[in-house]
C-alpha cells in the first residue's frame, strides 16, 4: 500500500483513492489530494506540494497544524491517561467546564464529541426543562437555511429539507422561520414552543450573519414567553469571529450554547453550555456519552483556550479580518462579478454573480495551492486558522485577484482544471 523511500513512508495518492473508493462509504466528494503533514497554516500533500489552508478543516484547526502548545498538551495527556469514562471524576473535564463557564454566560457544561451531539444535548435539555416543570412545551423554532448537524434530531432542526427528506419520517417538533425576520417568529410561536435555536452566522448556507436588532428582539421575546434561547456556536465559537463567542457581539446572553469544531483544535469534542436554570432539564441518567469529556479531548481544549489568550489570537483574528475584508472590498470594486463580501472575524463568505461558479473558483484556488470551501453555486467560504499571518492573508487575496484577472473569463471545465476524470465539483455538505 505504501512506497518506502529513504525511511520515509510516502502514501501513494492513486492507491489511497482506490482503497477509499472500494472500502469507504461514498458519502464524501473529495478533491484529488491527500495531506500527510501540516505546519502552521500550511498543509503538505503526498507529493510534498504546499497549500495555504484557508478553511482550517472547516473551522476546526483553530491553532493551525502542529501548534507546539496543542501538540505537547496532547502528548502529555496521552502518556498519562487518554480515557477512563464518566464513571469517575475527570480533572481535565472539570477544569475545562470551569474555564468555559468563567469565560461565558454559562453555569454548567456538558461534553460530547461533535457539533451535532452538542445540539442533540441542547434539544433534549430544552424539552427536559419543560417536562420537569410539568409544562407541555416541546416545539423548537429554528431558521430556514440553518445547519445544526447530521443526526436525526439535528437534521430535523436544520432548516434545509434536503438534509432530512431521504430519512423520513422526520422527527416532529420543529418549526422553521425565515432568518432575520422577527415577525416570522411571532407567527410561528405557539403555547407548545419550548425554545428558539439560531446560528449567529449561518455558516453552511453561505456565511449569512444575523442582524443584531433581530437577535436582541428574539432574546427579549424568549424572556417574555419564558422560553429558552439556544445559540449554536459550533462554527462561530472559540475566537472564530473575533470574540471568544460570537454572542458577545450581539449584546445578548443565550440560555444554552453549543460548541464543537475549533474547541480542541482538531481533537473531536462537542460542548453544550447552559445556565443553572436551563440545567434543570437534565437529571442524573438523562444524558451521557462514553467518550464525551475524556481527558485527552479536554486537555486539548484547555490548550487551545490557553493559546488563544496567551498568544492574543483574538487580536490576530480581528487584524487579519480587517485586512482581508478591506482587500476583498477593493477587489469587489475591480471585479463586479464579486457580488458580496460578508461574515465576521475569520469566517468570511465571498459571493459571485452567475458568471463565476463557486466550485470552479474553489478548484482554481486549489490548483494554485489555496484551500477554501464552496457553498452552493455562488459562494466561497474561508475559515483559516486563527494563527493566520498577514502575509498569508495577502497571498490568498493576491491569488484570487490573479484568478479573476486571468482564468475565470476563459471558463474552464472542472475536469480540465484538475486533469482528472473524477467529478469533484461539489462540496460534502
Ligand atoms: C452551526 C453548525 N452546527 C452544527 C454542525 C454539526 O457539527 P458536526 O459536524 O461536528 O456534527 C455544524 C457543522 O458544520 C455547524 O456548522
Amino acid at each position: 500500500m505504501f512506497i518506502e523511500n529513504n525511511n520515509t513512508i510516502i502514501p501513494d495518492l492513486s492507491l489511497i483513492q482506490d482503497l477509499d473508493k472500494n472500502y469507504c462509504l461514498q458519502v464524501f466528494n473529495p478533491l484529488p489530494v491527500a495531506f500527510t503533514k501540516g505546519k502552521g497554516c500550511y498543509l503538505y500533500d503526498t507529493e510534498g506540494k504546499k497549500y495555504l489552508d484557508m478553511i482550517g478543516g472547516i473551522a476546526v484547526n483553530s491553532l493551525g497544524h502542529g501548534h507546539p502548545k496543542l501538540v505537547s498538551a496532547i502528548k502529555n495527556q496521552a502518556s498519562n491517561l487518554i480515557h477512563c469514562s464518566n464513571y469517575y471524576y475527570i480533572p481535565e473535564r472539570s477544569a475545562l467546564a470551569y474555564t468555559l463557564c468563567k469565560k461565558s454566560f454559562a453555569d454548567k457544561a456538558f461534553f460530547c464529541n461533535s457539533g451535532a451531539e452538542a445540539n442533540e444535548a441542547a434539544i433534549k435539555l430544552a424539552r427536559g426543562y419543560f417536562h420537569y416543570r410539568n409544562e407541555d412545551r416541546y416545539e423548537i423554532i429554528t431558521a430556514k437555511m440553518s445547519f445544526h448537524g447530521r443526526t436525526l434530531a439535528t437534521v430535523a432542526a436544520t432548516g434545509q429539507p434536503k438534509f432530512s427528506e431521504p430519512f423520513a419520517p422526520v422527527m416532529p417538533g420543529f418549526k422553521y422561520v425565515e432568518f432575520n425576520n422577527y415577525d416570522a417568529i411571532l407567527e410561528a410561536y405557539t403555547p407548545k414552543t419550548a425554545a428558539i435555536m439560531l446560528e449567529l452566522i449561518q455558516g453552511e448556507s453561505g456565511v449569512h450573519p444575523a442582524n443584531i436588532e433581530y437577535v436582541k428582539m428574539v432574546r427579549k421575546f424568549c424572556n417574555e414567553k419564558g422560553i429558552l434561547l439556544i445559540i449554536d456556536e459550533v462554527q462561530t465559537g472559540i475566537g472564530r469571529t473575533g470574540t471568544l463567542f460570537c454572542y458577545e457581539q450581539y449584546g445578548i446572553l443565550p440560555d444554552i450554547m453549543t460548541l464543537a469544531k475549533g474547541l480542541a483544535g482538531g481533537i473531536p469534542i462537542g460542548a453544550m453550555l447552559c445556565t443553572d436554570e436551563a440545567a434543570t432539564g437534565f437529571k442524573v441518567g438523562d444524558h451521557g456519552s462514553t467518550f464525551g469529556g475524556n481527558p485527552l479531548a479536554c486537555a486539548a481544549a484547555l490548550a487551545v483556550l490557553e493559546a488563544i489568550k496567551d498568544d492574543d489570537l483574538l487580536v490576530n483574528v480581528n487584524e487579519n479580518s480587517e485586512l482581508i475584508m478591506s482587500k476583498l472590498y477593493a477587489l469587489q470594486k475591480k471585479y463586479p462579478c464579486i457580488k458580496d463580501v460578508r461574515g465576521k472575524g475569520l469566517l468570511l463568505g465571498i459571493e459571485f454573480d452567475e458568471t463565476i461558479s463557486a466550485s470552479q473558483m474553489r478548484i482554481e484556488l486549489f490548483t494554485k495551492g489555496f484551500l477554501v470551501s464552496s457553498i452552493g453555486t455562488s459562494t466561497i467560504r474561508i475559515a483559516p486558522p486563527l494563527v493566520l499571518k498577514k502575509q498569508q492573508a495577502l497571498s490568498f487575496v493576491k491569488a484570487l485577484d490573479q484568478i479573476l484577472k486571468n482564468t475565470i473569463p476563459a471558463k474552464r471545465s472542472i475536469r480540465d482544471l484538475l486533469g482528472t476524470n473524477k467529478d469533484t465539483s461539489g462540496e460534502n455538505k
Side-chain angles (χ1 to χ4, degrees), residues 23-70:
Y23 298 104
C24 293
L25 194 71
Q26 294 298 291
V27 289
F28 301 107
N29 191 10
L31 287 168
V33 67
F35 297 112
T36 51
K37 203 182 131 149
K39 189 119 195 68
C41 292
Y42 293 105
L43 280 169
Y44 298 84
D45 72 9
T46 45
E47 316 279 294
K49 184 178 168 188
K50 185 175 164 184
Y51 297 79
L52 183 63
D53 188 2
M54 290 299 286
I55 190 62
I58 325 182
V60 167
N61 300 102
S62 36
L63 301 187
H65 305 281
H67 191 289
K69 285 181 184 161
L70 180 58

Side-chain angles (χ1 to χ4, degrees), residues 58 113-117 119 147-151 154 199 201-204 232-236 258 260-261 269 381 429:
I58 325 182
N113 314 287
S114 68
E117 275 182 71
N119 285 333
F147 185 82
H148 297 295
R150 298 284 198 159
T151 59
T154 56
E199 293 159 271
I201 301 181
Q202 291 191 327
E204 296 303 303
D232 178 343
E233 292 233 27
V234 165
Q235 189 154 163
T236 53
T258 53
K261 287 193 180 277
I269 192 168
R381 169 182 46 176
K429 288 268 154 53

Side-chain angles (χ1 to χ4, degrees), residues 69-70 73-74 77-78 81-86 89-100 109-113 262-271 289-306:
K69 285 181 184 161
L70 180 58
I74 294 168
Q77 191 57 51
L81 184 66
I82 293 175
H83 179 83
C84 56
S85 105
N86 291 306
Y89 290 99
I90 299 172
E92 296 74 23
R93 187 186 66 178
S94 309
L96 180 59
Y98 171 82
T99 308
L100 286 170
F110 170 82
F111 297 106
C112 48
N113 314 287
L263 176 54
I267 297 288
I269 192 168
S289 162
T290 297
F291 292 121
N294 88 17
L296 186 72
C298 292
L302 283 165
V304 167
L305 291 169
E306 203 176 285

Side-chain angles (χ1 to χ4, degrees), residues 19 60 106 162 171 177 206 239 246 252 269 287 302 304 320 325 333 337 350 354 370 393 399:
L19 290 175
V60 167
K162 69 176 179 189
M171 183 180 148
V177 295
C246 191
I252 57 121
I269 192 168
H287 200 55
L302 283 165
V304 167
N320 273 295
M325 291 285 251
K333 289 211 175 92
C337 63
I350 307 162
E354 61 296 337
F370 295 87

Side-chain angles (χ1 to χ4, degrees), residues 2 34 98 106 138 154 184 187 189 279 291 306 332-333 404 408 411 422:
F2 295 111
Y98 171 82
Y138 55 86
T154 56
E187 268 171 47
Y189 176 83
F291 292 121
E306 203 176 285
Q332 196 180 13
K333 289 211 175 92
L404 289 167
I408 289 290
K411 272 214 166 184
K422 206 166 189 312

